[in-house]
Amino acid sequence: MLEHSQISEPLKVHIKELVDKAWAVRHPERTESETRALKDQIKQKLKQHNAVLVAHYYVDDELQDLADESGGCVADSLEMARFGYNHEADTVIVAGVRFMGETAKILSPEKRILMVETEAECSLDLACPIEEFSAFCDQHPDRTVVVYANTSADVKARADWVVTSSIALKVIKYLDEQGEKIIWAPDRFLGGYVQKQTGADMLLWQASCIVHEEFKSEALQGLMKQHPDAKVLVHPESPAAVVELADVVGSTSQIINAAKELDAQKFIVATESGIFHKMREAAPGKEFLEAPTAGEGASCESCAQCPWMKMNDLERLDKVLTDGSNEILIPEEVRVKAERSILRMVEFNK
Ligand code: 13P
Ligand code: SF4
């Protein structure tokens, strides 16, 4: 398997600085009654502005609950965009990270798309800057360019296909059967997993998710020994050695469904910890354990929490609804090209 050279040191330092900045964000403390009052106020403002809240599974429980209670949705990255597209609201408010807001705008240009927090980044998106990526694609004009949804609008516009983790395997299998050679970006672990499963000829960009790369296979094996009756659910952004131990590998929605459908009472889950909220709702009475993010004695860097997802909170949402800030805007020529690459996946999925 061919691989693109590593992400540059200055870019790694930049990403680390943004991670530290995200962790430094402090959320105001509230009593239960203050939280209730704030949620009621937000619900009123959502109605007043004909706005709908769409949230990812990784944001805080209270934002997930508010999205559900106010007629919005909690979903994986693709379903969030689909929901916004099909909804009659004029304004869609995205609780998640920036690429999710951009995807919503790409698919719904006539709607006003607001982010709860525009500084909510994603390490995969950050580690795939358009200039470098475009130059890399130019060096391999014979290859079909497939990018993961966790990328900027510019990178999506440069691609032939956009895929999410739920459909990556099927699309690459199809392209391989057509005899196409592929450039894959940005997630090296998801790319490596897909390459291994399909045997496709893939050039892999070398970015990773700072949350999923922390899952450790040795410690996971230890936990599996302690709980031999548990099934292991893994998001494919995790390292190969962790993915190999999985009973089910899938997107956030797919592993929630697996927790519901599988005939097991106990699960070890390797993905961002925000997912447990919906998993417990989907499969009440079942037991969920976090996959280890560090080996014996080591300190865990992320503890299975995405610092950028955790920037989203009720106070920021309330502010955005009050002042209309954090609007996502995309130049039309970029949007149209990015839309074409996303719609290819949507059509393929039908
Ligand atoms: P999903 O598309 O599975 O929701 O994943 C998005 C993501 O950012 C995973 O880390
Ligand atoms: Fe990006 Fe990882 Fe956060 Fe998902 S969990 S948004 S892939 S940094």
Side-chain angles (χ1 to χ4, degrees), residues 56-58 75-78 97 99-100 122 124 148-150 164-166 209 212 235 237 250-253 271-272 309:
H56 190 265
Y57 295 118
Y58 295 166
D76 68 11
S77 54
L78 180 62
V97 296
F99 79 83
M100 295 172 176
C122 167
L124 292 169
Y148 191 30
N150 300 37
T164 61
S165 52
S166 57
C209 161
H212 290 87
H235 195 284
E237 289 168 14
S251 72
T252 47
S253 294
T271 195
E272 214 272 358
M309 289 284 183

Side-chain angles (χ1 to χ4, degrees), residues 31 34 37 41 56 58 83 86-87 95 111 118 121 125 144 164 219 223 240 280 282-283 287 307 312 341 349:
T31 62
E34 283 168 341
Q41 180 176 308
H56 190 265
Y58 295 166
F83 184 90
N86 291 323
H87 202 280
K111 290 187 177 147
T118 38
E121 304 279 357
D125 179 355
T144 300
T164 61
L223 193 62
R280 291 194 180 105
E287 191 183 343
N312 291 267
S341 313
N349 203 25

Side-chain angles (χ1 to χ4, degrees), residues 25 31 84 109 134 182 201 215 222 236 245 255 258 264 283 311 343:
V25 169
T31 62
S134 199
I182 291 151
D201 181 341
F215 290 113
L245 298 171
I255 58 181
M311 289 176 96
L343 290 181

Side-chain angles (χ1 to χ4, degrees), residues 64-227:
Q64 293 191 35
D65 291 344
L66 183 60
D68 278 340
E69 289 162 18
S70 61
C73 82
V74 185
D76 68 11
S77 54
L78 180 62
E79 198 45 45
M80 285 170 76
R82 274 212 206 108
F83 184 90
Y85 175 73
N86 291 323
H87 202 280
E88 61 190 12
D90 305 316
T91 299
V92 177
I93 310 205
V94 176
V97 296
R98 191 157 42 90
F99 79 83
M100 295 172 176
E102 289 186 351
T103 305
K105 185 68 186 176
I106 292 164
L107 291 181
S108 305
E110 72 297 344
K111 290 187 177 147
R112 186 167 68 134
I113 309 291
L114 305 178
M115 294 290 305
V116 173
E117 173 57 67
T118 38
E119 289 190 17
E121 304 279 357
C122 167
S123 61
L124 292 169
D125 179 355
L126 290 170
C128 191
I130 182 59
E131 295 79 14
E132 286 174 36
F133 181 63
S134 199
F136 178 59
C137 296
D138 290 346
Q139 285 164 23
H140 305 280
D142 56 324
R143 287 179 179 264
T144 300
V145 179
V146 183
V147 302
Y148 191 30
N150 300 37
T151 44
S152 66
D154 287 321
V155 166
K156 288 184 174 78
R158 180 63 183 79
D160 300 303
W161 288 78
V162 173
V163 297
T164 61
S165 52
S166 57
I167 200 177
L169 208 52
K170 274 195 213 160
V171 169
I172 298 292
K173 187 167 179 290
Y174 164 77
L175 293 174
D176 184 47
E177 282 164 5
Q178 305 301 306
E180 305 214 19
K181 293 194 290 178
I182 291 151
I183 284 180
W184 167 271
D187 186 9
R188 66 193 176 108
F189 291 127
L190 178 55
Y193 167 69
V194 170
Q195 199 282 329
K196 200 168 164 200
Q197 295 293 312
T198 60
D201 181 341
M202 296 169 76
L203 265 178
L204 303 184
W205 193 262
Q206 290 294 297
S208 52
C209 161
I210 53 155
V211 179
H212 290 87
E213 72 183 353
E214 292 292 326
F215 290 113
K216 303 286 188 282
S217 61
E218 255 182 55
L220 175 55
Q221 276 170 318
L223 193 62
M224 288 164 74
K225 276 202 191 112
Q226 286 171 36
H227 302 276

